[in-house]
Each structure stands twice: as C-alpha cells, then as structure tokens.
Amino acid sequence: MTEVGASSQSPGVRAASVTASGEPLAALYQSEVGWVWNALKRLGAPSADLEDLAHDVFLAAHHARARFDPARPARPWLMGIAFRVLSDFRRLKRHHVEVPGDEVPDAAGEHDLEGALADRQQRAMLMRALDGLEPDRRAVFVAHDLEGLAMPQIAEAFEVPLNTAYSRLRLARENLTRAVEAMRTPGGAA
Amino acid sequence: MNEPIPEPLPAALLALIDAEKRRPSPPVAETARVLARLQTSIAATGGAATVAVASGWWLKTLLGVALGLPAGAWLHATFAPAPPPAPPQIVYRDAPAPQPAPVLEPVAAPVPVPPAPTKRVAERPAPRPAVVDPGTLEAERQLLEAARAGLGRGNPAAALGHLERHHREHPSGALSEEREALWVQALAAAGNADAAREHARAFRAAYPQSFLTPLVDSASPP
C-alpha cells in the first residue's frame, strides 16, 4: 500500500521549502497530511474520527492561511491547529476515549512481521499510557518527545508560557513512566 | 532567557517512543478521501474565503463548518476584512454558444463532450462582492454538487454541462475556483486530455495557492 507524508520527515520542515512551487497550501497538504494524521492519533484522536479531524485541521489551515508565515516552520503551526481542533471535538462530542490498543493492522512496509508485531504492542502500550494523561500534558509530550518540536515553538503553538510547557512535559513524563511500569508489573494494569 | 533543558527521557519510555516513531503513515486512499472532502468543504464555506481575525479564528471556522453553507457565507462576509482580489477569469473565446445543461443520461448513452477550449485570455473581472448572498452561494453549490455527482457516476459530459451552466450563470461566482478545478477533472474523465492540460495550466496560473491544486494535478499532471 502506498503511503504518504513520511513520518520520518524532519520536524524542522519549513513552510518556505514547500512554497517553492508557489502553491504553499497544496504543497503543505501533500507534504504534511501524513504527519498531521499521526500527530492527531498521538494526541488521542479516535481512529474512527481521524479522517474527519484531519479534514478539519486542513480546513482550518486553509481559512487561516493569511496567518501562515512561510518563513517559519509549518509543523508547530499545524500542531497548534490540530490540538485546538481536537479539543473542540472532545468538548462537542464527548466521546474522546479511545479504545485501548485499537491499533489498526497495516502491513505497509512491515516486511519484518515479528518486529512489526512488537512495534504494534509497544505502540499500543504507549497509547494506553497516553490515554491516562491530561490532554494538555499529552500534547506537550507528543509535540516534543514524539514529534521533535522545539519547546519555544510548542509554547507558542499551544499559547502557553514556556515554563508552563516545560512543566507539562516533566509531569507527562513522570505520569507516563509510572503508567508504563505499572503495565509491565505482573498483575499490573496491562 | 535561560531555558530549562528537558531531562533525558526515562529508559522505560525510550523503546515505546522509538516504536511509536515508526508508526506507518496513513494509506493514500484515506488521505485522498480527506482531500476530496476538503474540496467540498471549501466550496461550502465560501470558496477561497479568508477568515482573518485576531483570535478564535479556528473556532469560528469550525462553527462555519458545523452550521453549514449560509453560516459559512456569513462568516466570510463578517470576518474577511477585505475580499481578496478575484483571480483572473478563464475566458473561452471560441467556445460554442451556451447550451442548456444536458439532462443526465445513462452512462452508456452517447453524450456530447464540449469541444476543447483552445484560446484563453486572462482577464481581471470585477472584485468578488464583499457580501455573498447565501441564496446565490447555494445555487452555485448545487450546480457544483451536480457536476461532482456526474463525475462520481462516471458521466463527465453531464458534469461538464453543469459546469458550463455555472460558468454562464456565475462567471465570477464565489465558487469559481472549485468550478475550474472540477472542470479539469471532468475534461480528463471525458478523455479530453489536451483540453484538460490546457485548463489545468490556466487554473494553476489563476489560482497559484489553491488547495485544490493536488486534485487538478492528479487529473492532469503538470
């Protein structure tokens, strides 16, 4: 199966680089749709709603294109939009609880079936642990530790003071570590 | 400013984070569906409307989506501080005289395909009105939906008929951008590759920042 938007792309991808063709939003969609999709998943979007939410993120980006600064990295901007879209979704729909471990099997590029299975199990464990976090802490953890965004960019994207962002990251890591250790303990919350 | 440096990641999380970073990207089919829906949504919320407000823009945008077309038009009229200059309009100098929109025919029936436009002249039409009448916008949207439905049924001639009617009735309409993108798709679907290519080239020139460019490129690669 063909894939798009390689998630391994440098998080520092700059809007300027995608505006070279003169079609910044179209290029932005093409280069970042895969990244946005996975970021939403990591932020806690239910799998069944990923398509709707990815649509909403890019629609919001389309309408906010006047605020799009091509001299700055695009991903923090998209991350902020994704976080707000997901927050609204949760507030309006009240069904934000993802079924733990609802990993959708995807054989794309997974020729090492054993390794792929191990990856899926580890991803499922991380997702279960993330589901126990407060959304604000989860968002900072996802943006920094999973997406590799810089803390000042994260603080700006989520519209919080830098120290608040650092505090959320520290608390998120502590909470996650405890949750993962509990899952790994025989008879724990696995 | 001295910024705190994040502590190294706890060992308990490292393997999980590495596995998560190897999460496969979504399949193209799913992201293609998102793009197709974006096309409809952008049309329904006022085409190339720019919602530029100091704060809360995203909530208002989502509100526009949730409330549907009239609200989208209202948002456009309310929050766009100044309408963007209308893009150059594509004019078909040697196009045939306007024909009534063809009645939808079964796919197998022979249907006329409009001749390929051969000359285009970029003109700057009157600026798009600051306030888009919701009734007009709805009429535009219905024509484009009919065209899109024709394409979906594999009947590009019917789609082209609806697009021509839109061009006739709303030459500088709020959804002109969406019409022109659909036109490329319809021409390509009708097997008129030369016309599709020409139309696509004009589209890219007229709407260099369009969100619909991937659809146009998909129908007629640059």
Side-chain angles (χ1 to χ4, degrees):
Chain A
M1 194 180 299
T2 310
E3 293 177 1
V4 295
S7 57
S8 60
Q9 187 174 6
S10 164
V13 63
R14 288 187 172 274
S17 68
V18 298
T19 57
S21 66
E23 300 160 359
L25 283 172
L28 189 67
Y29 180 86
Q30 287 180 313
S31 68
E32 301 300 337
V33 62
W35 182 85
V36 166
W37 187 283
N38 280 347
L40 283 166
K41 175 76 180 168
R42 291 163 179 161
L43 288 170
S47 296
D49 295 301
L50 278 172
E51 194 174 310
D52 287 344
L53 290 164
H55 162 274
D56 289 351
V57 168
F58 280 99
L59 184 62
H62 170 76
H63 285 290
R65 58 189 171 179
R67 294 161 55 98
F68 183 60
D69 180 357
R72 306 185 67 186
R75 288 186 175 178
W77 182 66
L78 288 171
M79 176 63 83
I81 293 174
F83 178 70
R84 288 185 282 268
V85 163
L86 186 57
S87 297
D88 264 17
F89 169 84
R90 286 169 169 153
R91 193 158 45 241
L92 293 172
K93 294 203 169 185
R94 304 278 183 198
H95 62 185
H96 66 283
V97 178
E98 177 72 300
V99 178
D102 73 331
E103 285 283 307
V104 178
D106 188 337
E110 295 182 343
H111 301 300
D112 173 9
L113 292 180
E114 215 169 283
L117 180 62
D119 269 5
R120 273 207 291 275
Q121 289 171 339
Q122 291 187 313
R123 287 200 294 269
M125 181 180 282
L126 182 61
M127 286 296 133
R128 281 200 302 274
L130 283 170
D131 285 342
L133 289 184
E134 291 178 14
D136 289 346
R137 295 178 188 175
R138 178 177 189 156
V140 175
F141 176 84
V142 168
H144 186 270
D145 286 346
L146 292 176
E147 308 296 358
L149 303 184
M151 288 304 286
Q153 295 172 338
I154 293 168
E156 184 179 352
F158 297 151
E159 299 173 353
V160 297
L162 184 58
N163 281 332
T164 302
Y166 274 106
S167 174
R168 288 178 183 175
L169 178 63
R170 181 179 57 79
L171 292 170
R173 286 177 172 184
E174 287 177 5
N175 294 160
L176 280 175
T177 303
R178 276 199 297 274
V180 168
E181 286 173 348
M183 287 181 208
R184 286 174 170 158
T185 301
Chain B
M1 173 181 174
N2 290 329
E3 295 167 0
I5 299 172
E7 298 284 326
L9 274 164
L13 298 181
L14 279 174
L16 304 187
I17 288 173
D18 285 345
E20 177 58 36
K21 286 180 176 175
R22 289 192 291 271
R23 175 183 290 278
S25 295
V28 163
E30 296 188 38
T31 55
R33 277 203 303 274
V34 173
L35 185 56
R37 287 178 54 200
L38 267 175
Q39 185 183 25
T40 301
S41 298
I42 290 171
T45 53
T50 300
V51 180
V53 290
S55 63
W57 55 270
W58 46 274
L59 184 60
K60 294 180 178 73
T61 299
L62 292 178
L63 185 66
V65 176
L67 296 181
L69 179 69
W74 175 81
L75 283 170
H76 178 201
T78 303
F79 294 113
Q89 185 185 349
I90 298 167
V91 176
Y92 305 89
R93 279 193 169 163
D94 56 350
Q99 300 292 323
V103 177
L104 298 179
E105 298 289 343
V107 175
V111 285
V113 175
T118 55
K119 289 184 183 175
R120 293 155 196 283
V121 176
E123 294 180 352
R124 189 162 292 282
R128 185 175 287 167
V131 177
V132 180
D133 174 56
T136 303
L137 200 56
E138 176 62 16
E140 284 194 57
R141 192 188 65 80
Q142 284 182 5
L143 281 171
L144 296 189
E145 279 302 315
R148 195 171 287 115
L151 266 179
R153 285 193 303 271
N155 191 345
L160 287 166
H162 290 295
L163 294 171
E164 285 191 342
R165 184 176 162 194
H166 185 284
H167 181 256
R168 231 173 20 248
E169 297 179 1
H170 312 282
S172 301
L175 305 185
S176 300
E177 182 176 341
E178 288 70 27
R179 176 191 67 216
E180 299 302 326
L182 275 171
W183 211 315
V184 175
Q185 294 174 284
L187 286 169
N192 201 339
D194 289 343
R197 192 177 310 112
E198 186 69 15
H199 208 109
R201 191 178 303 127
F203 178 90
R204 294 183 196 105
Y207 308 99
Q209 298 192 3
S210 177
F211 228 143
L212 307 178
T213 301
L215 288 174
V216 170
D217 290 350
S218 171
S220 182

